[in-house]
Amino acid sequence: MATVTKENIGLLHEKLTVKLEKQDYLPSFEKALKEYSKKANIPGFRKGMVPAGLIKKMYGPSLFTDEVLRSVDRELISYLQNDKLEIFAQPLPLEADFRQLDVNNPTDYSFHFEIGMKPEFDLADLAKGPTTRYVVTVTDEMVDNEITRLQNRYGNMQDKEAVENEEYVINVLFTETNEAGEAIEGGITKDNSLLVKYFADAVRGQLIGKKVGDTVLVQLNGAFDEKELEFIMSDLGLNKEDKAAAQKFFNIEITKVGLLEKKELNEEFFNQLYPGGEIKTEADFRNKIKEEIQAYWNSQARNQIHDQVFHLLVDKTKIDFPETFLKRWIKTQGEQAQNGEQPVAKSDEQVEQEFPGFISQLKWTLITDKIVQENAIQVNPDEIREFAKQQLFGYMSNMGAAASDQPWVNDYVEKMMKDRKYVEDAYNRIQTQKVFEWSETQVKPVETPITAEDFTKMVEEHQHHHH
């Protein structure tokens, strides 16, 4: 009768020994041999009449090995399930010597495996961890800028004959030239649409009075100030860090002149933006815009709390790992060879290089699994459907709320529900969001006012640090 024994060989690292007696695998091997002899198609013999000795000689070794290993797998799986062992990955074979398997001399066999045990641990106490809820101050200038943006977006463009002031919009064709203004063969050409005020002072003066068909020769770093120069160079496909590229010359040909007439701040405009919003006055409109700006920054600040929670959980939750086992597991997984057939074992150097990132991700996985289990966090199919619908609306921002009930929207959602990879990804994203929502209820953040500029700079520096 088969037995499985366990022996500790390190931190959360166990050795399993599977001992098989002949009667554990021999009957199934002999049955497989008989079944094979009935099906074997060997020239010179009628089907089903091949001598058993010949079958055993030709196919016995492989069938014998298959049945022995099948018996080992069966005993391993049964042991792990009955003892409810929480392990990482799969058992890895130790000292596997298949030469001991002899079809002509069936005997008792022992096979050895190693397993990495999942650790027990306590989550970091989020209530004791320092967290900050940043409250971005919404200024009148921010409200003014957003109102101007909306007035321009919904305004009307009027064609004009000539540029009269810096508020005019010009459609232009950039053509790369030499210093004398002669077009370079194979040089850059690119259309763009720009406000005259985006140009540097010296060029603005040259543009006043210009009409369609007129051209102005410019050197990029003299035609635009720093912020606009970066945008223009990027649009032209140039590296903004390349000083030589910033000194390139271009002919700017005006192809169209226009003036954007801003939308008036009246009840008609308010109703266009917020149908049924009962916004009657400019003061009401400003308050609404301020609320929306504040809501945006509050959501960004909430993301910041999620980031703080992540670091608290990962940095302050102590978890031991069976490192020896996990490193061997990474090593044996290897990488697929180019022909996609044989995995190539990773070197010790590769394993050491990958291990810190692997452990960090594994730690986060264990933490989230624990939060999910202990708080009965679930994701149901309707939540995935709603996720798919909202994602679709995000791709098609011009869709109105009424479109959500259109048959084609539901058809799209049901199609995505049949995409296993999409459903798994959506499930994980929703579950992760719920984990952070639970974590938010555990922390005790200190509210701290901050300017939008300082908040943005802080987030950028944090992202840069982690990349």
Side-chain angles (χ1 to χ4, degrees):
M1 182 179 175
T3 59
V4 181
T5 55
K6 182 168 61 126
E7 173 191 354
N8 180 259
I9 55 175
L11 177 64
L12 298 168
H13 196 183
E14 305 286 338
K15 176 181 175 181
L16 299 182
T17 300
V18 181
K19 291 183 178 179
L20 291 183
E21 295 180 357
K22 281 195 295 185
Q23 62 265 32
D24 294 317
Y25 64 84
L26 208 51
S28 57
F29 163 66
E30 291 171 347
K31 181 180 177 182
L33 210 56
K34 286 179 182 178
E35 291 293 326
Y36 211 87
S37 67
K38 292 177 185 177
K39 301 173 185 175
N41 193 0
I42 300 176
F45 296 93
R46 288 166 58 193
K47 192 172 182 180
M49 301 300 289
V50 183
L54 182 58
I55 292 290
K56 185 173 182 180
K57 183 177 180 181
M58 294 179 69
Y59 304 107
S62 62
L63 289 174
F64 186 77
T65 299
D66 287 347
E67 290 303 326
V68 171
L69 296 183
R70 192 175 287 118
S71 299
V72 172
D73 283 345
R74 184 174 63 248
E75 296 301 328
L76 258 183
I77 292 169
S78 176
Y79 177 79
L80 293 173
Q81 288 177 344
N82 290 337
D83 280 44
K84 295 182 172 56
L85 297 184
E86 292 286 335
I87 66 170
F88 288 113
Q90 297 296 323
L92 294 178
L94 280 169
E95 308 158 10
D97 182 9
F98 296 111
R99 290 174 299 176
Q100 65 175 314
L101 303 180
D102 184 356
V103 66
N104 296 312
N105 185 27
T107 185
D108 298 345
Y109 296 114
S110 291
F111 293 87
H112 306 286
F113 299 85
E114 61 177 326
I115 56 173
M117 303 291 293
K118 287 187 178 180
E120 293 184 0
F121 62 94
D122 294 320
L123 290 171
D125 188 346
L126 292 176
K128 293 182 179 178
T131 51
T132 303
R133 187 188 304 279
Y134 293 99
V135 182
V136 172
T137 304
V138 178
T139 63
D140 289 341
E141 183 184 2
M142 291 162 71
V143 175
D144 291 340
N145 289 340
E146 178 61 11
I147 289 175
T148 299
R149 187 188 71 81
L150 289 170
Q151 285 179 287
N152 287 335
R153 179 182 174 186
Y154 291 92
N156 298 313
M157 184 68 72
Q158 299 292 327
D159 288 342
K160 298 291 182 180
E161 283 204 13
V163 178
E164 294 182 18
N165 61 55
E166 65 178 23
E167 293 299 328
Y168 273 60
V169 177
I170 54 174
N171 289 6
V172 296
L173 174 64
F174 281 81
T175 302
E176 188 177 356
T177 70
N178 57 23
E179 191 172 352
E182 300 164 335
I184 296 174
E185 186 176 350
I188 299 169
T189 59
K190 186 74 169 62
D191 289 307
N192 208 325
S193 179
L194 302 166
L195 278 166
V196 173
K197 67 181 179 183
Y198 288 169
F199 290 86
D201 288 343
V203 177
R204 278 186 229 169
Q206 296 179 56
L207 290 171
I208 301 300
K210 297 294 184 187
K211 300 178 180 180
V212 172
D214 290 343
T215 61
V216 176
L217 177 65
V218 301
Q219 189 172 20
L220 290 181
N221 58 357
F224 300 96
D225 293 329
E226 185 178 353
K227 184 178 178 181
E228 286 75 20
L229 178 62
E230 287 187 7
F231 167 75
I232 293 295
M233 288 184 68
S234 175
D235 190 64
L236 292 171
L238 299 171
N239 181 357
K240 65 182 182 182
E241 306 296 334
D242 186 348
K243 292 184 179 179
Q247 295 173 355
K248 284 179 177 285
F249 286 87
F250 284 84
N251 259 332
I252 297 179
E253 179 187 356
I254 299 175
T255 57
K256 189 175 182 180
V257 177
L259 179 63
L260 184 65
E261 291 187 347
K262 293 181 180 179
K263 200 79 171 175
E264 283 189 48
L265 293 179
N266 54 33
E267 197 169 339
E268 179 187 351
F269 182 39
F270 305 152
N271 285 330
Q272 182 182 356
L273 290 173
Y274 304 104
E278 296 298 319
I279 298 175
K280 306 291 186 184
T281 66
E282 185 176 338
D284 293 338
F285 182 58
R286 291 184 65 84
N287 287 334
K288 182 66 176 177
I289 295 297
K290 186 172 184 177
E291 284 177 16
E292 290 189 340
I293 296 174
Q294 190 70 66
Y296 167 79
W297 287 110
N298 287 348
S299 70
Q300 297 302 303
R302 190 182 180 201
N303 291 340
Q304 246 293 311
I305 286 187
H306 290 177
D307 185 73
Q308 294 172 59
V309 163
F310 171 81
H311 287 290
L312 277 174
L313 287 170
V314 171
D315 297 342
K316 301 299 183 183
T317 300
K318 186 180 184 307
I319 304 180
D320 293 318
F321 288 96
E323 294 193 4
T324 304
F325 169 84
L326 291 173
K327 286 180 179 179
R328 199 165 98 78
W329 182 83
I330 295 173
K331 186 180 180 70
T332 56
Q333 295 314 293
E335 297 173 350
Q336 284 298 110
Q338 288 188 351
N339 60 13
E341 292 179 1
Q342 294 295 329
V344 180
K346 293 181 180 178
S347 67
D348 292 337
E349 290 76 14
Q350 283 178 298
V351 172
E352 291 300 327
Q353 186 177 3
E354 293 178 15
F355 196 68
F358 172 81
I359 282 293
S360 178
Q361 182 59 51
L362 186 57
K363 187 174 186 180
W364 177 242
T365 299
L366 291 179
I367 288 170
T368 54
D369 285 349
K370 188 178 182 70
I371 292 173
V372 166
Q373 291 171 10
E374 291 184 352
N375 297 280
I377 292 174
Q378 296 180 336
V379 178
N380 63 54
D382 284 343
E383 289 174 307
I384 298 176
R385 286 188 176 89
E386 185 61 26
F387 176 86
K389 190 181 291 187
Q390 294 306 318
Q391 195 174 57
L392 174 63
F393 293 165
Y395 297 146
M396 306 173 71
S397 56
N398 60 338
M399 289 175 60
S404 63
D405 294 327
Q406 294 294 319
W408 67 269
V409 173
N410 292 326
D411 289 344
Y412 167 83
V413 170
E414 292 308 317
K415 177 184 176 184
M416 299 311 294
M417 292 297 290
K418 293 174 183 174
D419 183 334
R420 181 178 174 183
K421 188 176 185 306
Y422 178 85
V423 170
E424 286 180 356
D425 178 65
Y427 182 97
N428 290 332
R429 290 172 69 175
I430 296 169
Q431 185 184 77
T432 299
Q433 183 62 27
K434 288 190 173 189
V435 165
F436 280 119
E437 287 171 358
W438 169 84
S439 301
E440 274 186 272
T441 67
Q442 307 301 304
V443 295
K444 297 178 179 178
V446 175
E447 291 202 350
T448 303
I450 189 172
T451 65
E453 292 76 16
D454 287 346
F455 181 85
T456 301
K457 184 179 178 182
M458 176 189 70
V459 171
E460 287 175 350
E461 287 177 351
H462 180 76
Q463 290 173 341
H464 177 73
H465 175 72
H466 285 279
H467 288 114

